[in-house]
Amino acid sequence: MIVYILRRLVQSFLVLLAVSLVVFMAVYAVGDPIELLVSAEASDADREAMIKRLGLDLPVWLQYWSFLSRAFHGDLGTSFVHGIPAIELIVQRFPATFELVLVAIGLTCLIGIPLGLVAGLFNDKPLGRSLMGGSVLGFSLPNFWQGMMLILMFAVWLQWLPSSGRGDTVSIFGVPFSLFTADGWRHVMLPAINLALGNIALVLRLTATGVMEAKTQEYVKFARAKGISERRILTRHILRNILIPVVTVIGMEFGTLIAYSTITETVFAWPGMGKLLIDSIYKLDRPVVVAYVMLVTFIFVMINLVVDLLYAVLDPRVQLQEAQ
Amino acid sequence: MSRRTTLSLASLAALALPAGMAAAQSLTIGLASEPTAADPHYHKVTTNDSFSAHIFESLINRNAKMELIPGLAESWKPVDDNTWELKLRKGVKFSNGEPFTSKDVLFTICRVLNNETNVSRSYMEPMQNFTDVQTPDEHTVIIKSDRPIPTMPNELARSLPIIWSGIAKFDKLKFAPKEGCGVTSPWPTVAEFNTGRLSIGTGPYKLKSYVKGTGIEMERNEGYWGAKPHWKTVKMVPVPNAGPRLTGLMSGDYDVIESPAARDLPRIKENSKLDFVATPSTRLIFFQLDSGRAQSPFVKAADGKNPLQDLRVRQAISMAIDRKAIVQRLMDGMATVANQYMPAGMFGSLDKPAEIKFDPEAAKKLLAEAGYPNGFELTLTTTNDRYINDGQIAQAVAQYLTRIGIKTTVDAQAAAIYFPKRAKREFSFAIGGWPSENGEASGLFQYWVASTNKDQGLGTSNYGGFSNAAFDKVFVPAMALMDSAQRKAEYQKATQIALDNVPLIPLHFESSIWAYKKGLSYEGRRDQYTLAMSVKPTK
């Protein structure tokens, strides 16, 4: 187990290194940030000084090398646009994205799994069929359009919920969280629903097909013959078996949402990391883009590891070792 | 798990309450772009200056029409060609109760000259030309420079937000920027301003919090010397996307928003709860022609030459564009046709410029005269995310040019790609936009029309390589004339010479738009600033 985790960590490190190289070169190739920063009023001397200060006068491999050596000291560079460390910018935005995704994943589990069970158990009844049919709609709606519709309905017409931004925050250990205030919850609701809808549909369908498959299996019939209550069959026998693919998907979705909730964050002006990434790409804020992708890669690698460990917990047959 | 569920259920109950109206006395503004720092000397862009004007004041202020009015200085006058004297207002206090004196002015000048965390030497113009700053008493400042700076009042109004001298340590402050002016502690950095610890100014508002991406909160400075603004607390929220910004205004999240999309104006006009104001700004949208060299990358003519070097071709292109149609149909009237390089009424512009007539027939004749009866091929390069409707404007202009025989294709790019390429002179016919920040004709001519001379800071954006001796001869000496009437007359001459030689093809001046709830009013500003002080309830 320990050996397995260590080996995985070494692999992760190599992945991070490869990603840093690719991203650094890609952002380098996109364009020169100097013209966006230096005003047309600046003299050539000013421009040269700026280029020097940002280290943009060095050849690209030297730039990468100095980035790497600083990264090993925990310094991922300073934002060209904001003049403060890139990682600080990202960390400032992380809580907002994290709580948005947390609520979205919470909604996904709380709504998706129960509905999926219902749809799977009653797959031959109108209720089950309409749930399965409706779920197709859930993940085929374009995210930004759906977001605008939610705003139109709940914020503009009904005026129940605010349309954008992140309500009042409370500082916990110096980190601002909005999930501890009513206003914060009111703000997070619409974007979280927007993020969750597609995932609810996904989880619903996964659960339903799992249930349909499982309920005809021998072990379920046997359990029923033994006289075990329907409820216990459902929770102990069926649910436990079908949760493996669901856990995988939810884990991957968690990572995807944290990294790329960009569209929802843009539509709802949610001050999270996705919006920061887009803004930084537009402004060619190289250090922020690189630091961001590094961080996201790290998160994905960790999530993969956690999902693999969870398998072992859920399914005793899974052995933690690499394929020989 | 169960505890979390009850928590969320309780919160869900709270959700059912309708969104309450914002308390009176507090104002929420939806910004189109976010200030990059709370440091007033960090990066010279409109967004940052507009924000810092709430907290830090300048020696000289500008009203909505960009006319100079007394600020922290009550009066100013040139003593001789290279010397200005300013008398400071008495009885002004910083938000922490400390008195404002000439020491703070000297300290601020020293800080901008010793600012290590700013972007591309922002705010060092024209301070880097100062040779001495004297403070004979607490309310007098004398500034000496190495060359005449006739626009000194304008420059002080736009480039020197005053900070408190108490944020650094010194025994005796003296004007010696190279030696650090006698300051013994490290100079304050941008991060220290962002936390609000050093954001101490004399302005009408105090900074409460500044969280990147989330917003800015300010509260009224009750000890402010000037007219008290109506709003006790002000919140500014960055919402870069125009759609959400407008829905936020409709749903009551914001009281005022910057720059709603021009296409949404009809909806704002129909909505009985909303109102808007449109104010012509000084930002000119133009096309820059690569007329300075015999071969240009995106022009293909049968004779192998660069037709843009021929004045008749440039005039033909200018006459082929129907500016009125562009302003009315593309811009929904939210722009003013430009027949010269700055709005009429501004310093150095022509009072009654000749209209650049839309006349495709005459344009064709001119092309034939220049030796291109069948036109030539041209690629027009434009941004698609920088100026209002820039992509569509380029499409329209391309069609007008094609109509007179110049087969024009459009290449639209993101600003991040476009600006670096333009600076390397990779285009032949490129869009541009420039506001006349100092309120005088020199604000544009100096960078875009004058022949490039790097040592004098002339023609730094003259990417078309335009060079006209007659223009330079009039314009360059005029920049040093201290006598306003003389300078104005010379600038008007320069404007006429420029119009006759078409270095740039002017299109229109953008209007800035602010939309707000009915029951409020906003005094739209030429400098495009969004100020909470200018939002007032209608009685």
Side-chain angles (χ1 to χ4, degrees):
Chain A
M1 177 86 173
I2 300 291
V3 174
Y4 172 81
I5 292 181
L6 274 176
R7 197 177 301 158
R8 283 290 298 263
L9 284 177
V10 172
Q11 280 177 353
S12 313
F13 176 76
L14 291 175
V15 168
L16 278 173
L17 204 63
V19 166
S20 78
L21 183 69
V22 170
V23 173
F24 193 91
M25 293 303 155
V27 182
Y28 182 87
V30 166
D32 181 0
I34 280 294
E35 290 311 318
L36 298 180
L37 290 168
V38 177
S39 100
E41 299 180 26
S43 70
D44 269 33
D46 295 351
R47 182 167 306 183
E48 290 305 316
M50 189 76 193
I51 291 173
K52 247 197 163 49
R53 202 172 78 192
L54 298 179
L56 297 173
D57 51 343
L58 304 168
V60 62
W61 61 270
L62 256 180
Q63 286 188 38
Y64 177 67
W65 180 246
S66 71
F67 157 78
L68 215 54
S69 56
R70 276 201 308 268
F72 277 115
H73 294 105
D75 169 19
L76 285 172
T78 302
S79 158
F80 293 162
V81 175
H82 295 277
I84 62 174
I87 205 77
E88 191 180 313
L89 259 183
I90 296 167
V91 168
Q92 276 178 353
R93 302 290 192 95
F94 186 79
T97 295
F98 186 74
E99 66 189 11
L100 172 63
V101 171
L102 208 64
V103 175
I105 292 286
L107 287 173
T108 303
C109 297
L110 288 175
I111 300 172
I113 296 176
L115 285 184
L117 285 175
V118 172
L121 288 174
F122 306 109
N123 62 333
D124 44 6
K125 305 249 179 3
L127 174 65
R129 275 206 295 271
S130 59
L131 272 174
M132 288 300 271
S135 68
V136 175
L137 199 62
F139 55 72
S140 48
L141 289 179
N143 217 319
F144 63 92
W145 180 85
Q146 176 186 294
M148 287 309 241
M149 288 302 118
L150 285 174
I151 290 178
L152 215 59
M153 262 176 59
F154 293 101
V156 178
W157 289 339
L158 297 171
Q159 304 231 338
W160 286 354
L161 294 168
S163 71
S164 60
R166 183 189 178 208
D168 299 334
T169 54
V170 181
S171 265
I172 313 258
F173 307 119
V175 182
F177 282 104
S178 69
L179 288 188
F180 296 95
T181 66
D183 186 51
W185 271 97
R186 290 210 1 253
H187 277 85
V188 79
M189 232 43 227
L190 281 185
I193 289 171
N194 194 41
L195 271 185
L197 273 176
N199 289 320
I200 289 174
L202 191 67
V203 168
L204 186 153
R205 293 183 76 85
L206 265 174
T207 317
T209 38
V211 172
M212 279 184 244
E213 199 185 341
K215 72 181 184 186
T216 57
Q217 299 274 340
E218 300 288 335
Y219 71 92
V220 176
K221 287 180 180 155
F222 182 68
R224 199 168 281 137
K226 263 172 54 180
I228 296 174
S229 76
E230 279 298 320
R231 191 168 158 190
R232 194 173 157 79
I233 290 174
L234 191 60
T235 51
R236 286 289 304 171
H237 299 269
I238 295 184
L239 204 56
R240 228 185 129 170
N241 271 307
I242 62 167
L243 270 189
I244 288 187
V246 175
V247 166
T248 311
V249 166
I250 288 179
M252 292 319 287
E253 280 302 309
F254 195 81
T256 312
L257 290 184
I258 282 198
Y260 306 111
S261 49
T262 315
I263 293 174
T264 296
E265 287 187 359
T266 305
V267 171
F268 291 90
W270 186 263
M273 303 196 307
K275 212 157 132 277
L276 175 71
L277 176 69
I278 287 294
D279 294 349
S280 302
I281 289 175
Y282 274 128
K283 291 177 178 159
L284 293 180
D285 200 343
R286 205 178 293 168
V288 178
V289 177
V290 174
Y292 182 89
V293 177
M294 300 285 294
L295 194 75
V296 164
T297 312
F298 179 75
I299 290 174
F300 265 94
V301 165
M302 285 296 126
I303 285 177
N304 267 329
L305 187 58
V306 171
V307 167
D308 283 352
L309 295 177
L310 268 180
Y311 277 174
V313 177
L314 284 169
D315 186 346
R317 289 169 308 179
V318 173
Q319 293 295 316
L320 286 180
Q321 58 200 15
E322 270 140 273
Q324 296 301 321
Chain B
M1 185 72 204
S2 67
R3 207 168 33 159
R4 191 190 290 170
T5 335
T6 41
L7 181 70
S8 49
L9 281 176
S11 322
L12 279 170
L15 292 180
L17 299 169
M21 291 295 287
Q25 298 281 304
S26 78
L27 180 77
T28 310
I29 302 175
L31 299 179
S33 55
E34 185 184 15
T36 52
D39 180 344
H41 310 134
Y42 175 67
H43 192 182
K44 184 128 192 60
V45 282
T46 303
T47 317
N48 287 26
D49 285 341
S50 166
F51 161 44
S52 86
H54 291 83
I55 297 154
F56 305 94
E57 288 183 290
S58 300
L59 294 169
I60 299 164
N61 288 337
R62 293 187 297 193
N63 64 12
K65 291 200 185 89
M66 279 174 89
E67 292 157 340
L68 300 180
I69 47 176
L72 287 174
E74 282 178 323
S75 65
W76 52 92
K77 62 170 194 286
V79 179
D80 58 48
D81 270 11
N82 295 11
T83 314
W84 283 82
E85 184 184 75
L86 298 102
K87 289 281 179 206
L88 305 184
R89 190 176 297 278
K90 293 184 176 128
V92 175
K93 288 193 164 48
F94 282 93
S95 58
N96 59 358
E98 296 290 332
F100 157 76
T101 65
S102 54
K103 189 169 65 178
D104 301 298
V105 178
L106 174 54
F107 174 79
T108 302
I109 293 171
C110 280
R111 196 257 164 160
V112 298
L113 292 173
N114 276 288
N115 191 354
E116 283 153 14
T117 49
N118 66 351
V119 172
S120 87
R121 301 166 68 86
S122 287
Y123 302 93
M124 294 177 78
E125 190 67 40
M127 275 51 94
Q128 52 196 11
N129 298 97
F130 291 2
T131 49
D132 197 12
V133 177
Q134 297 161 359
T135 49
D137 63 58
E138 289 205 331
H139 300 288
T140 309
V141 176
I142 294 167
I143 297 175
K144 290 181 179 297
S145 55
D146 59 4
R147 58 184 169 91
I149 307 180
T151 52
M152 181 72 85
N154 311 55
E155 301 293 349
L156 292 177
R158 74 189 187 103
S159 298
L160 197 68
I162 299 295
I163 54 176
W164 180 49
S165 57
I167 59 176
K169 288 196 176 59
F170 49 82
D171 294 331
K172 175 125 186 51
L173 209 54
K174 55 185 187 298
F175 184 77
K178 294 266 190 307
E179 292 86 56
C181 293
V183 170
T184 52
S185 61
W187 290 96
T189 62
V190 57
E192 291 167 303
F193 277 94
N194 291 351
T195 59
R197 205 170 59 82
L198 300 186
S199 290
I200 300 158
T202 61
Y205 281 96
K206 293 192 278 197
L207 183 62
K208 206 159 101 189
S209 75
Y210 165 73
V211 186
K212 287 212 170 68
T214 307
I216 298 160
E217 290 182 41
M218 297 183 277
E219 50 194 355
R220 191 162 60 195
N221 174 6
E222 300 300 342
Y224 180 54
W225 61 268
K228 285 226 179 3
H230 176 81
W231 312 101
K232 217 176 162 69
T233 54
V234 173
K235 211 167 157 182
M236 291 184 165
V237 186
V239 196
N241 202 306
R245 205 161 54 242
L246 184 61
T247 48
L249 177 72
M250 287 175 163
S251 63
D253 294 353
Y254 314 124
D255 304 309
V256 181
I257 59 168
E258 280 184 340
S259 330
R263 63 172 180 277
D264 291 331
L265 276 183
R267 292 177 56 199
I268 297 175
K269 284 177 190 162
E270 282 163 24
N271 192 322
S272 62
K273 289 186 194 146
L274 303 180
D275 227 331
F276 76 95
V277 62
T279 310
S281 75
T282 66
R283 187 189 292 281
L284 172 73
I285 302 298
F286 55 82
F287 284 101
Q288 190 171 34
L289 312 102
D290 190 15
S291 59
R293 47 187 175 172
Q295 288 300 326
S296 184
F298 286 109
V299 188
K300 270 226 286 290
D303 61 1
K305 287 189 194 145
N306 173 6
L308 300 177
Q309 290 195 292
D310 192 314
L311 173 61
R312 288 166 296 189
V313 172
R314 298 203 296 270
Q315 284 167 332
I317 291 175
S318 193
M319 287 162 85
I321 300 169
D322 189 350
R323 291 171 176 76
K324 278 189 192 139
I326 290 179
V327 165
Q328 275 160 13
R329 291 191 205 133
L330 273 182
M331 307 296 288
D332 280 300
M334 294 300 140
T336 321
V337 168
N339 291 312
Q340 59 176 330
Y341 298 106
M342 57 184 317
M346 297 215 44
F347 191 96
S349 62
L350 301 178
D351 299 330
K352 291 207 168 56
E355 189 192 347
I356 305 176
K357 284 210 165 50
F358 168 57
D359 192 346
E361 289 312 311
K364 273 188 196 153
K365 271 204 195 81
L366 272 173
L367 274 185
E369 269 175 46
Y372 301 100
N374 303 322
F376 50 90
E377 284 176 44
L378 176 71
T379 300
L380 181 162
T381 327
T382 176
T383 51
N384 53 12
D385 57 355
R386 177 68 189 85
Y387 308 112
I388 302 175
N389 297 341
D390 42 11
Q392 291 123 297
I393 292 168
Q395 292 288 355
V397 169
Q399 282 171 20
Y400 285 129
L401 297 191
T402 305
R403 224 176 275 175
I404 62 163
I406 303 173
K407 291 172 227 31
T408 311
T409 44
V410 173
D411 179 8
Q413 314 179 342
I417 311 284
Y418 176 90
F419 287 119
K421 282 193 172 173
R422 189 179 67 177
K424 295 194 187 83
R425 297 190 61 184
E426 290 181 21
F427 303 145
S428 295
F429 195 85
I431 203 167
W434 191 249
S436 217
E437 262 218 27
N438 66 0
E440 301 203 356
S442 56
L444 182 130
F445 286 164
Q446 185 183 346
Y447 307 111
W448 295 87
V449 181
S451 302
T452 306
N453 180 331
K454 297 201 163 145
D455 302 333
Q456 294 177 24
L458 291 171
T460 44
S461 305
N462 190 343
Y463 308 118
F466 175 85
S467 180
N468 180 296
F471 174 85
D472 293 343
K473 214 170 110 188
V474 174
F475 173 72
V476 177
M479 283 168 55
L481 291 172
M482 292 298 275
D483 182 299
S484 300
Q486 253 186 327
R487 193 168 74 249
K488 191 169 169 178
E490 290 298 301
Y491 280 168
Q492 286 177 329
K493 261 192 233 166
T495 300
Q496 193 54 59
I497 298 173
L499 283 172
D500 293 342
N501 288 284
V502 201
L504 311 165
I505 292 180
L507 282 185
H508 54 247
F509 300 101
E510 284 183 354
S511 292
S512 328
I513 310 169
W514 290 267
Y516 40 85
K517 285 179 184 160
K518 267 241 169 31
L520 297 176
S521 70
Y522 186 78
E523 186 184 27
R525 296 179 61 92
R526 250 186 180 169
D527 55 17
Q528 303 187 297
Y529 286 9
T530 299
L531 301 179
M533 297 76 95
S534 305
V535 184
K536 296 196 172 76
T538 48
K539 291 289 177 292

